[in-house]
């Protein structure tokens, strides 16, 4: 899809659909509304007064062949309350415009960006939104697709502002939007296609295109290093585990400067292992690598956008299955760090693979750690499908992450990582066990990881509730969301 920034009068734009956002708290007599009404021969007033359309957030009204416009259709798009507008909302509005146009079989769409925000920010988030809205999860449908892709998305500035660096902003937005869709594609792939080995292959191909150096540690390497918790999870599967390390080409290690490591849980299928999960909804566990997908997406976008800080990505990729070789409840293993773990429940496998990955990241020089993982059902119970859980030992970093939520639209809620939660994972036989009691499961998982981060500043993001959208939104298709790509990319880029 081609995305362009245009500042011409909307009445003159030739396109299949012109999307025009209207605000809930905008009086009918507001100059912009009156002008649109005049330009269209009174349709705006008509649909308002008939009660057909109220500008509630993401409500729509499609008008065919509007008189006075060169556009074939006019889409009135509810934009909610003006005072609630932020960049995240503009992204979603652009996305809703793109998605509505696509569902109406349109090819070219113009979006009236009626915003006071900086042009660069606006062009960037609208580009992201357009790409996200244009994506569909029907990877393996052989019918009823095609001819539905949008070809051109025009961002209209109605304020007559000079385009300035809009072009660069569109490039950045396109890079991030494509990276989000890359992560969504991976999350939507079934586990018979996306195995640890094929995940590594995807990293190699996407990395080569974007400018990443990709290193893959094999089972033998992990055995030599002593990554026994990662290996303990992989034991039950015939698919060999991979530890994928992503570095930005040409980014040289500066001694003394911080080196951030992004760690993503890459369980390509989580059956629970011997502590097997119930059959209902087990298919969703194909997306238990959403953290890994977010790390790959982020590294792909950062490689193109060149952050000033040093960042690397680490992805432990495994499949968690029961078999005659699988780890059993009660097994004790020694981690890379040297601490011993009693595996009480083989379904708490994410923390096991992350424990060794955290230790490994520190051993190769990481000074700051951020892990992202579909880690606990308990986090979904606590925060539902709206907020991701966040906890850690680096308050400054968590504050920075949270400050960006109004721009990224990815909501993060901090949970307490109090030391009193640690006793739930005290083991009788080993240094620590991999599950606690019934309570505060998201936090006890975090306490487990903290044992391996030790004094290295670390943040953990639990995306178990937000990695998948089962209902679909006006601005995005059902399925994997790519949550985390925008949060982690934004952290390293200004603006
Ligand atoms: N992958 C799951 C967590 C999950 C649950 C992700 C729901 C997405 C949606 C994780 O490996 C898991 O099974 N965790 C267990 C931990 C428990 C055994 C302590 C859980 O949350 O039930
Ligand atoms: Zn599990
Ligand atoms: Zn899991």
């Amino acid at each position: 899809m081609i995305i362009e920034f245009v500042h011409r009068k909307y009445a003159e734009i030739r396109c299949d659909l012109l999307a025009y956002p209207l605000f809930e708290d905008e009086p009918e007599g507001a100059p912009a509304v009156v002008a649109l009404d005049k330009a269209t021969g009174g349709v705006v007033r008509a649909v308002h007064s008939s009660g057909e359309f109220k500008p509630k957030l993401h409500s729509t009204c499609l008008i065919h062949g509007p008189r006075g416009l060169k556009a074939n259709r006019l889409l009135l798009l509810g934009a909610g309350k003006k005072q609630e507008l932020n960049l995240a909302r503009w992204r979603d509005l652009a996305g809703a415009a793109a998605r509505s146009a696509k569902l109406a079989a349109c090819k070219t769409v113009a979006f009236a960006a009626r915003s006071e925000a900086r042009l660069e920010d606006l062009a960037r988030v609208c580009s992201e939104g357009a790409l996200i809205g244009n994506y569909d999860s029907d990877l393996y449908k052989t019918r009823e697709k095609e001819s539905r892709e949008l070809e051109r998305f025009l961002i209209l500035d109605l304020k007559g502002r000079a385009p300035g660096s809009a072009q660069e902003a569109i490039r950045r937005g396109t890079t991030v939007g494509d990276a989000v869709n890359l992560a969504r594609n991976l999350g939507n792939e079934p586990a018979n296609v996306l195995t640890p080995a094929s995940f590594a292959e995807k990293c190699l191909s996407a990395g080569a295109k974007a400018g990443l150096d990709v290193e893959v540690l094999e089972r033998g390497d992990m055995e030599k290093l002593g990554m026994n918790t990662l290996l303990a999870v992989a034991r039950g599967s015939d698919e060999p585990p991979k530890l994928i390390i992503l570095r930005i080409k040409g980014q040289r290690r500066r001694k003394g400067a911080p080196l951030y490591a992004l760690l993503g849980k890459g369980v390509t299928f989580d059956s629970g292992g011997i502590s097997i999960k119930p059959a209902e909804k087990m298919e969703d566990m194909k997306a238990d690598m959403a953290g890994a997908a977010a790390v790959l997406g982020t590294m792909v976008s950062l490689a193109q956008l060149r952050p000033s800080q040093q960042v690397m990505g680490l992805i432990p990729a495994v499949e968690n299955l029961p078999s005659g070789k699988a780890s059993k409840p009660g097994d004790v293993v020694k981690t890379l760090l040297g601490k011993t773990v009693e595996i009480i429940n083989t379904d708490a496998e994410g923390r096991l693979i992350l424990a060794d990955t955290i230790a490994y990241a520190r051993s190769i020089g990481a000074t700051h750690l951020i892990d992202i993982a579909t880690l606990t059902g308990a986090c979904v119970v606590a925060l539902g499908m709206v907020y991701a859980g966040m906890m850690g030992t680096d308050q400054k970093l968590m504050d920075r992450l949270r400050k960006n939520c109004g721009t990224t639209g990815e909501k993060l809620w901090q949970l307490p990582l109090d030391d009193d939660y640690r006793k739930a994972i005290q083991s009788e036989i080993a240094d620590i066990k991999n599950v606690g009691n019934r309570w505060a499961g998201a936090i006890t998982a975090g306490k487990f990881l903290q044992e391996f981060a030790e004094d290295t500043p670390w943040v953990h993001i639990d995306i178990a509730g937000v990695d998948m959208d089962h209902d679909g939104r006006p601005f995005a298709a059902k399925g994997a969301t790519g949550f985390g790509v925008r949060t982690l990319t934004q952290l390293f880029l200004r603006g």
Side-chain angles (χ1 to χ4, degrees):
M1 180 172 50
I2 296 166
I3 303 176
E4 281 171 304
F5 177 84
V6 181
H7 68 176
R8 290 209 335 259
K9 293 205 170 72
Y10 59 77
E12 291 164 11
I13 304 283
R14 232 175 256 288
C15 57
D16 293 327
L17 183 145
L18 166 69
Y20 195 97
L22 290 170
F23 305 107
E24 239 176 280
D25 43 3
E26 189 170 36
E28 260 185 65
V33 184
V34 172
L36 180 67
D37 191 55
K38 258 201 188 143
T40 56
V43 286
V44 179
R45 198 176 282 261
V47 295
H48 261 117
S49 54
S50 68
E52 233 172 301
F53 177 68
K54 291 202 178 68
K56 275 184 36 194
L57 188 59
H58 298 144
S59 60
T60 53
C61 180
L62 187 62
I63 295 151
H64 280 261
R67 262 184 294 149
L69 299 187
K70 295 222 165 90
N72 295 333
R73 296 169 191 78
L74 171 66
L75 180 80
L76 300 178
L77 182 57
K81 299 208 170 74
K82 239 182 177 165
Q83 63 190 32
E84 288 169 5
L85 278 170
N86 56 16
L87 288 171
R89 192 161 278 187
W90 278 109
R91 176 188 300 102
D92 292 348
L93 286 170
R99 198 144 187 81
S100 308
K102 180 187 163 85
L103 296 176
C106 297
K107 300 272 187 221
T108 54
V109 51
F111 175 67
R114 303 182 59 206
S115 168
E116 311 287 331
R118 272 178 45 201
L119 208 57
E120 290 78 15
D121 295 334
L122 198 58
R124 171 167 57 85
V125 297
C126 288
S127 307
E128 289 175 15
L131 284 161
I132 292 166
N134 194 32
Y135 174 90
D136 267 315
S137 316
D138 53 359
L139 304 183
Y140 292 96
K141 269 200 200 295
T142 57
R143 285 147 209 254
E144 286 176 37
K145 9 201 286 180
E146 293 188 284
S147 78
R148 290 229 152 187
E149 290 294 293
L150 282 183
E151 283 170 8
R152 198 175 277 269
F153 188 87
L154 307 176
I155 304 165
L156 297 186
D157 174 47
L158 308 180
K159 295 206 167 295
R161 295 176 284 189
S165 45
Q167 210 44 51
E168 176 55 24
I170 289 174
R171 187 184 78 91
R172 181 169 151 189
T174 304
T175 303
V176 175
D178 283 341
V180 171
N181 289 344
L182 166 69
R184 292 168 84 191
N185 257 336
L186 293 169
N188 287 328
E189 282 288 6
N192 61 331
V193 174
L194 194 69
T195 60
S198 67
F199 198 113
E201 289 297 325
K202 297 254 185 201
C203 290
L204 285 162
S205 55
K209 257 201 242 153
L212 289 172
D213 283 322
V214 182
E215 184 189 346
V216 182
L217 299 191
E218 305 290 341
R219 196 197 298 267
D221 302 314
M222 298 175 206
E223 283 167 355
K224 268 187 225 138
L225 286 161
M227 297 183 147
N228 297 316
T229 38
L230 207 169
L231 290 164
V233 176
R235 285 179 67 88
S237 168
D238 289 342
E239 297 290 341
K242 308 278 173 185
L243 179 59
I244 307 154
I245 302 143
L246 309 164
R247 295 183 176 87
I248 297 174
K249 260 195 185 29
Q251 196 177 58
R252 234 177 272 133
R253 177 90 178 94
R254 292 190 304 274
K255 273 246 161 75
L259 171 58
Y260 287 81
L262 309 178
L263 298 84
K265 171 179 172 181
V267 177
T268 57
F269 190 76
D270 180 13
S271 70
I274 296 295
S275 316
I276 198 158
K277 288 179 181 295
E280 199 184 321
K281 289 285 156 211
M282 202 204 268
E283 69 274 19
D284 284 355
M285 287 301 116
K286 70 173 186 176
D288 208 20
M289 33 49 68
V295 168
L296 175 61
T298 303
M299 291 303 293
V300 160
S301 73
L302 289 178
Q304 297 167 82
L305 300 172
R306 313 300 306 177
S308 52
Q309 274 162 317
Q310 301 175 92
V311 196
M312 61 179 174
L314 288 98
I315 295 172
V318 296
E319 198 178 53
N320 186 23
L321 291 185
S323 81
K325 289 215 190 85
S327 293
K328 299 165 289 294
D331 285 1
V332 175
V333 287
K334 189 167 191 164
T335 64
L336 174 61
L337 192 65
K339 293 187 183 181
T340 53
V341 175
E342 181 185 10
I343 301 174
I344 297 289
N345 189 318
T346 63
D347 196 11
E349 83 297 340
R351 64 198 77 180
L352 295 176
I353 64 171
L354 285 171
D356 275 344
T357 310
I358 287 172
Y360 183 70
R362 293 172 65 203
S363 77
I364 59 171
T367 61
H368 294 71
L369 307 164
I370 305 175
D371 78 75
I372 179 159
T374 46
L375 209 62
T376 65
C379 191
V380 193
V381 172
L383 300 173
M385 317 261 179
V386 180
Y387 274 79
M390 173 169 75
M391 61 207 89
T393 54
D394 188 339
Q395 190 57 50
K396 262 202 198 137
L397 189 51
M398 287 190 283
D399 291 344
R400 266 170 66 202
L401 284 161
R402 225 156 41 92
K403 226 181 66 218
N404 288 339
C405 291
T407 299
T408 65
E410 297 180 330
K411 296 175 184 173
L412 303 169
W413 191 262
Q414 190 177 339
L415 300 173
L417 199 69
D418 196 288
D419 271 338
D420 284 348
Y421 291 108
R422 169 65 175 80
K423 58 177 174 293
I425 46 173
Q426 191 53 48
S427 164
E428 293 297 316
I429 190 172
D431 294 331
I432 194 168
K433 58 183 180 182
N434 78 329
V435 296
N437 49 33
R438 286 182 61 185
W439 315 116
I443 299 174
T444 49
K447 289 309 279 184
F448 183 90
L449 296 178
Q450 188 183 359
E451 286 291 313
F452 300 90
E454 294 183 314
D455 54 359
T456 304
W458 152 81
V459 174
H460 159 58
I461 302 175
D462 192 333
I463 55 167
V466 292
D467 67 307
M468 282 271 223
D469 177 357
H470 297 280
D471 305 323
R473 306 291 302 267
F475 48 84
K478 283 182 198 181
T481 59
F483 191 106
V485 173
R486 300 200 297 269
T487 297
L488 295 175
T489 303
Q490 182 74 24
L491 181 68
F492 296 103
L493 300 171
R494 240 162 271 143

